[in-house]
Amino acid sequence: MRPSLIACALAALLAAPALFAHDHAPAPAAAGQSAIERALAPVLAGDWRDPANVARDRFRNPGPTLAFFGVRPDMAVLEITPGGGWYAEILAPYLRESGRYVGALNDPAKAANERASAYFARQNAALRERFAAAPPLFDRARLVEFDPQAPVFGEPGSMDAVLTFRNVHNWRMNGQEAGMFKGFFEVLKPGGVLGVVEHRAAADVPADDRSGYVGEAQVIAMAEAAGFVLEAKSEINANPKDTKDHPNGVWTLPPTLNVPEGEDRAKYEAIGESDRMTLRFRKPAG
């Protein structure tokens, strides 16, 4: 799908007054899809998307997830640590004409050790190269680096939405979660949305847990401690097949498939990607 067709689809969405409600709530579903999902359809079908990424749509459900978070094409959206760009290749073109996409990358110079620094440097360079290679899609997107020990994501009150996908376990394992959620709160406008997708443990996990899963109540507590209000939960990204007791934690499952030698890889492929919580928080308007 070419950028001109995307622009037409997004213009139709922006012309719909119902989507400009003060609370940024997603529009009611019509014919099984919300207006946001219909606007996202040409982006999700874009021929620039990596085929390996498209194959994972059935696990990550980007259309319903972004609709649940209320992400309209006229919004300023900050994605936290976009990694290889799975969501960036959707969000940046979607927001290009009328909104603003910013990806927040770990600053390699602030990494805890040389190995992490090298990893962040490679990852950041690869995403920048990908953006530079397709100006019609990514020329208006911004990538900024932050210090995970003292995160500042931009001017206070400058973003409509902050989105994070499968990152909370990393911050928790490194003792960074309080600072991260505080940073999200500060950069959001009053009434802004924080959307969180995270690997869901069966219950609270101990402080030294390295499974990659986090208790849903624990994530809610982190956000509420920073000042957010939980607005809604969704089971969009649930996976009841995930038993959450894998030998190498969540990384035993796809897409990593870090399966111990002698184990049946097909068993974990059949489970699919992890069971995930999907939470929408709001920064109070007052």
Side-chain angles (χ1 to χ4, degrees):
M1 187 67 66
R2 297 301 177 190
S4 59
L5 297 182
I6 297 171
C8 291
L10 301 187
L13 176 58
L14 289 169
L19 290 177
F20 288 86
H22 177 71
D23 64 359
H24 296 166
Q33 283 191 323
S34 71
I36 290 177
E37 288 180 85
R38 292 195 299 273
L40 279 163
V43 182
L44 296 176
D47 56 12
W48 65 86
R49 294 190 65 205
D50 185 329
N53 289 347
V54 175
R56 297 169 70 185
D57 284 358
R58 65 192 180 104
F59 296 117
R60 296 191 168 183
N61 308 293
T65 298
L66 294 175
F68 174 71
F69 292 149
V71 179
R72 301 190 318 266
D74 64 328
M75 294 171 70
V77 177
L78 175 70
E79 183 186 3
I80 307 300
T81 57
W86 198 94
Y87 259 102
E89 72 175 14
I90 297 168
L91 286 166
Y94 177 66
L95 298 165
R96 182 179 182 273
E97 295 300 321
S98 303
R100 181 158 52 99
Y101 173 87
V102 181
L105 313 177
N106 283 293
D107 184 348
K110 305 294 184 181
N113 53 59
E114 290 185 7
R115 181 180 178 184
S117 177
Y119 173 78
F120 293 146
R122 289 193 304 271
Q123 190 177 60
N124 296 357
L127 190 58
R128 292 184 190 280
E129 289 172 8
R130 185 175 183 186
F131 278 20
L137 298 166
F138 303 113
D139 59 340
R140 299 177 188 173
R142 289 182 60 226
L143 296 174
V144 299
E145 295 181 348
F146 70 95
D147 178 358
Q149 299 298 333
V152 176
F153 297 108
E155 290 296 318
S158 61
M159 305 304 293
D160 295 304
V162 172
L163 306 179
T164 174
F165 302 98
R166 306 168 313 283
N167 291 312
V168 179
H169 59 282
N170 291 318
W171 307 328
R172 189 174 183 275
M173 287 190 288
N174 292 309
Q176 299 165 346
E177 70 276 16
M180 294 296 290
F181 279 90
K182 179 176 181 288
F184 306 158
F185 192 87
E186 290 175 349
V187 78
L188 278 170
K189 298 175 182 178
V193 170
L194 169 63
V196 178
V197 176
E198 177 56 69
H199 310 294
R200 177 166 52 190
D204 286 359
V205 296
D208 62 351
D209 182 81
R210 315 301 279 185
S211 69
Y213 292 92
V214 184
E216 186 171 289
Q218 291 174 303
V219 176
I220 293 171
M222 294 174 201
E224 291 180 341
F228 288 102
V229 175
L230 177 65
E231 187 169 76
K233 304 178 184 181
S234 174
E235 293 300 301
I236 295 167
N237 296 301
N239 181 1
K241 295 181 181 179
D242 182 7
T243 57
K244 312 175 187 187
D245 57 355
H246 316 301
N248 289 322
V250 72
W251 299 282
T252 316
L253 298 177
T256 307
L257 282 171
N258 183 15
V259 178
E261 186 175 355
E263 287 261 2
D264 183 4
R265 182 185 176 102
K267 166 187 171 182
Y268 298 105
E269 290 176 329
I271 293 172
E273 296 193 19
S274 66
D275 177 55
R276 293 163 187 167
M277 66 186 88
T278 305
L279 308 174
R280 187 175 74 232
F281 298 93
R282 183 96 40 196
K283 178 176 178 176

